[in-house]
Amino acid sequence: FYIFVENNAYSTYNRMSWFKRSIEGITTTTEEKKESPDGLWMKCPNCGKILHASDQLENKYVCQYCNHHLRIGSKEYFAILFDTNEYQELFDNLVSGDPLNFEDSKKYTARLVDTMKKTGLKEAIRAGHGKIEKRDVVIACMDFTFIGGSMGSVVGEKISRSIDYCLKNKIPLIVISKSGGARMMEAAFSLMQMAKTSAKLALLSQAKIPYISLLTDPTTGGVTASFAMLGDFNIAEPRALIGFAGPRVIRETLKKDLPKDFQSAESVLEHGFLDLIVDRRELKKEIALLLKMVEA
């Protein structure tokens, strides 16, 4: 591939040695090709624009074109909220058992092992003790990538132990919910976590220790029906799906179309089930302000 200028051949070969063209076509060898690293780009699921990884990180994983809040996990939330991303992870040795010897398309034990390998997580929630603007807090954050953020025995136990830790150390608790609901593979053992966590939160309330619940997209099922809606402050991210049964189930049950913004955070706020909606880029500042208010 050459450019000829005033009878002098100026070859771009030296500057573009990886790109060679012949009569037969491009002859770049496989070894010379330069591949983009995985995860460098992604498409916004709302507006379809292409987002660069560095822009996502800088913008707290919010689309700079349409302000859509991308789904993120505990690793990202901890980095956003904890000062300098420093925290002590709590109860990280807990893993789920298989009390029912459950099997559907595969054994529950095999599903757990596969999910752990795929996600690098041990369960659908992680808890950590750190600081938000120099104030000690415990954050328990759910991960949707772990079996849909489903609430099993370990999720309930980690929240319960986090509450006990807060009671002992007299520090506030923040729970970040992102869940499809109860974990069907644990049946009644999963449903029992609703009562267990709710009772524990009552003890936190009696001790006058603040509890902030952050509902993110999606927060549904038994999680919504228990600890997610029991905060001293219930806050949500914009456009988060919040409800008990899913829209499809409700639509088929009622046999009628649902309102356009049905089960959106904005609709839930309008009907009085939320205290406020907070943009993720302002989340740390707003939580710090709430904690300061209750200290006064």
Side-chain angles (χ1 to χ4, degrees):
F1 179 59
Y2 296 96
I3 300 174
F4 292 92
V5 181
E6 295 181 355
N7 299 323
N8 292 324
Y10 175 76
S11 173
T12 63
Y13 179 84
N14 290 331
R15 291 191 300 163
M16 299 177 64
S17 60
W18 59 270
F19 184 81
K20 304 172 187 175
R21 188 185 297 277
S22 67
I23 295 175
E24 292 78 15
I26 297 173
T27 60
T28 308
T29 65
T30 301
E31 291 75 13
E32 292 175 301
K33 291 180 181 178
K34 297 185 178 180
E35 301 289 345
S36 296
D38 291 337
L40 188 61
W41 306 90
M42 73 164 291
K43 182 185 289 187
C44 173
N46 184 57
C47 69
K49 296 287 182 65
I50 300 300
L51 308 175
H52 193 276
S54 61
D55 293 333
Q56 294 179 56
L57 183 62
E58 183 179 351
N59 213 37
K60 304 294 190 292
Y61 306 94
V62 177
C63 176
Q64 63 263 40
Y65 302 104
C66 67
N67 289 326
H68 176 73
H69 285 52
L70 304 169
R71 289 183 180 178
I72 57 176
S74 57
K75 177 183 177 182
E76 292 78 17
Y77 276 112
F78 286 173
I80 290 169
L81 294 176
F82 282 128
D83 293 348
T84 63
N85 196 21
E86 293 181 2
Y87 59 92
Q88 172 193 354
E89 186 164 353
L90 305 173
F91 325 119
D92 60 343
N93 61 327
L94 298 180
V95 294
S96 288
D98 184 15
L100 303 177
N101 295 315
F102 188 90
E103 182 175 358
D104 48 13
S105 58
K106 65 166 66 173
K107 286 185 174 294
Y108 180 37
T109 49
R111 190 182 301 278
L112 287 169
V113 171
D114 290 346
T115 306
M116 289 178 191
K117 289 180 180 178
K118 181 179 178 181
T119 64
L121 301 167
K122 292 183 179 179
E123 248 301 333
I125 194 168
R126 293 172 66 214
H129 175 194
K131 294 180 182 291
I132 293 181
E133 294 193 0
K134 301 180 180 180
R135 291 178 174 84
D136 279 288
V137 295
V138 169
I139 301 177
C141 181
M142 304 189 76
D143 282 280
F144 195 76
T145 54
F146 197 100
I147 315 182
S150 51
M151 177 181 62
S153 301
V154 170
V155 170
E157 182 64 15
K158 279 197 173 187
I159 292 175
S160 295
R161 293 193 186 190
S162 295
I163 294 169
D164 290 337
Y165 187 92
C166 290
L167 287 167
K168 179 180 179 180
N169 295 281
K170 300 189 184 307
I171 56 178
L173 171 67
I174 300 168
V175 175
I176 303 175
S177 299
K178 187 186 297 286
S179 174
R183 186 171 298 175
M184 56 174 266
M185 296 77 117
E186 295 186 22
F189 289 93
S190 174
L191 297 177
M192 288 164 59
Q193 307 312 309
M194 298 170 62
K196 177 179 178 178
T197 53
S198 298
K200 283 282 190 175
L201 285 170
L203 298 177
L204 202 66
S205 178
Q206 291 173 11
K208 301 188 183 304
I209 295 175
Y211 166 46
I212 296 175
S213 176
L214 172 62
L215 295 84
T216 68
D217 184 60
T219 300
T220 59
V223 170
T224 308
S226 57
F227 59 84
M229 298 300 289
L230 294 177
D232 298 309
F233 298 101
N234 292 328
I235 64 180
E237 292 183 336
R239 306 301 305 168
L241 173 66
I242 301 169
F244 183 65
R248 179 183 58 81
V249 174
I250 296 174
R251 188 185 303 111
E252 291 176 355
T253 302
L254 298 178
K255 306 298 182 185
K256 60 173 64 176
D257 292 333
L258 301 174
K260 181 180 179 182
D261 292 329
F262 181 71
Q263 291 186 329
S264 69
E266 289 71 15
S267 176
V268 176
L269 175 67
E270 182 180 348
H271 287 84
F273 288 93
L274 289 174
D275 296 301
L276 66 160
I277 295 173
V278 182
D279 187 292
R280 189 180 293 156
R281 292 162 291 192
E282 302 295 323
L283 188 58
K284 181 174 182 177
K285 182 178 73 173
E286 290 294 331
I287 289 177
L289 179 60
L290 292 175
L291 293 175
K292 184 178 180 180
M293 287 170 55
V294 297
E295 286 176 358

